[in-house]
Amino acid sequence: MLLGVNIDHVATLRNARGGLEPDPIQAVEVCEANGADSITAHLREDRRHIMDADVKILKKVVKTRLNLEMAVTDEMQKIALEIKPHSVCLVPEKREEITTEGGLDVASQLNKITKFVTPLLEAGILVSVFIDPTEEQIRAAAKCGAQFVELHTGQYSIAYGTPDEQEEFDKIREASRLAHALGLKVNAGHGLNYKNVHRMRQILDLNELNIGHSIISRAVFTGLAQAVTEMKELVK
Ligand code: PXP
């Protein structure tokens, strides 16, 4: 299984002081040198962490694959078509949320998302949709043109170590199986950490995990190189 590292929170820290450090671009070099298979950055509407200039530089410096997370808005579509990242991951976005809360509701806006996805695919950008692990969302994702789904592991992560863990894990496993059977490639992420990530290895259809907060948090104590190396060991 591959490891994508989300570098948003390096930029969160940088922006806290409004200066230049820590530099998310420097983080890319460290992540890639220590086993990251791709780099994810989320350009949010409010630019609270990653900013437009970062995305332009990321496109130039990322040697693995740049995955741009973004909302389904005209502004983001325009930026993606200009930057041409390797892939985009479509996420729901609410201004007041601390982090992405639920998955994108593809099922109730299938026409809108299909139209949104078309020019991205025509530009050669791979498209993923970040969805909750439900049959309804997976069947919709398979119809919208996206080649990938990213399954939201937030509920599994919250339930880890509680009586609900198995049920939440089973949802991810079943969702992954169905998505794979429908011809989609399957990624997963959100809330995964050094304790709960090991169960993802039991899901054979999973292609890549996207992990941010726990890696950047561990890096505060161990350094980023060590934090990425340790996660890579758990994922591969
Ligand atoms: N995948 C998606 C679609 C996300 O929105 C996020 C959070 O930015 C992640 C993965 C990474 O989540 P975490 O920071 O909890 O590892």
Side-chain angles (χ1 to χ4, degrees):
M1 201 160 42
L2 302 174
L3 172 65
V5 179
N6 180 317
I7 57 162
D8 291 349
H9 295 311
V10 179
T12 303
L13 202 53
R14 174 196 62 188
N15 296 358
R17 276 292 172 100
L20 297 175
E21 61 180 16
D23 183 358
I25 305 304
Q26 199 181 341
V28 169
E29 277 172 41
V30 179
C31 291
E32 291 187 329
N34 289 280
D37 297 293
S38 69
I39 300 292
T40 291
H42 184 176
L43 185 66
R44 294 187 77 102
E45 186 198 10
D46 62 10
R47 310 304 198 259
R48 69 174 73 155
H49 35 57
I50 295 293
M51 324 252 264
D52 297 67
D54 295 323
V55 178
K56 286 192 182 134
I57 302 172
L58 286 169
K59 165 69 183 178
K60 289 193 189 132
V61 303
V62 170
K63 294 197 183 75
T64 51
R65 288 174 280 116
L66 174 62
N67 177 43
L68 181 65
E69 263 182 41
M70 57 183 220
V72 182
T73 64
D74 292 344
E75 183 200 17
M76 288 299 150
Q77 189 189 55
K78 189 163 167 272
I79 291 170
L81 290 170
E82 271 166 30
I83 302 281
K84 292 208 174 63
H86 183 266
S87 59
V88 297
C89 179
L90 304 181
V91 298
E93 209 176 283
K94 286 193 220 112
R95 205 169 249 271
E96 64 279 11
E97 70 193 356
I98 294 172
T99 181
T100 315
E101 280 166 0
L104 184 68
D105 187 356
V106 182
S108 76
Q109 36 181 358
L110 185 55
N111 282 345
K112 178 183 166 187
I113 291 177
T114 306
K115 275 193 199 133
F116 186 86
V117 160
T118 304
L120 298 169
L121 295 172
E122 284 170 2
I125 302 168
L126 296 175
V127 176
S128 176
V129 285
F130 181 56
I131 55 170
D132 290 331
T134 67
E135 180 176 348
E136 186 192 26
Q137 294 301 333
I138 289 160
R139 291 196 182 280
K143 287 185 195 147
C144 80
Q147 299 102 327
F148 287 78
V149 286
E150 180 170 330
L151 299 175
H152 194 322
T153 50
Q155 289 308 319
Y156 160 75
S157 300
I158 290 167
Y160 185 79
T162 76
D164 297 333
E165 173 185 329
Q166 189 59 40
E167 189 184 336
E168 294 300 333
F169 175 77
D170 288 343
K171 285 185 197 165
I172 307 282
R173 184 165 51 190
E174 290 312 310
S176 180
R177 207 173 276 164
L178 176 62
H180 193 251
L182 293 172
L184 293 158
K185 292 214 174 94
V186 190
N187 298 332
H190 211 287
L192 295 175
N193 62 32
Y194 293 82
K195 286 199 178 123
N196 64 29
V197 75
H198 69 100
R199 294 206 70 185
M200 292 297 120
R201 283 176 24 194
Q202 296 167 22
I203 305 178
L204 300 178
D205 303 321
L206 284 183
N207 169 60
E208 185 163 49
L209 301 179
N210 285 319
I211 306 180
H213 188 261
S214 71
I215 293 177
I216 305 305
S217 301
R218 179 163 291 213
V220 171
F221 300 105
T222 67
L224 185 56
Q226 177 73 16
V228 174
T229 302
E230 284 177 34
M231 187 57 87
K232 178 76 178 186
E233 275 303 309
L234 295 172
V235 162
K236 79 181 182 196

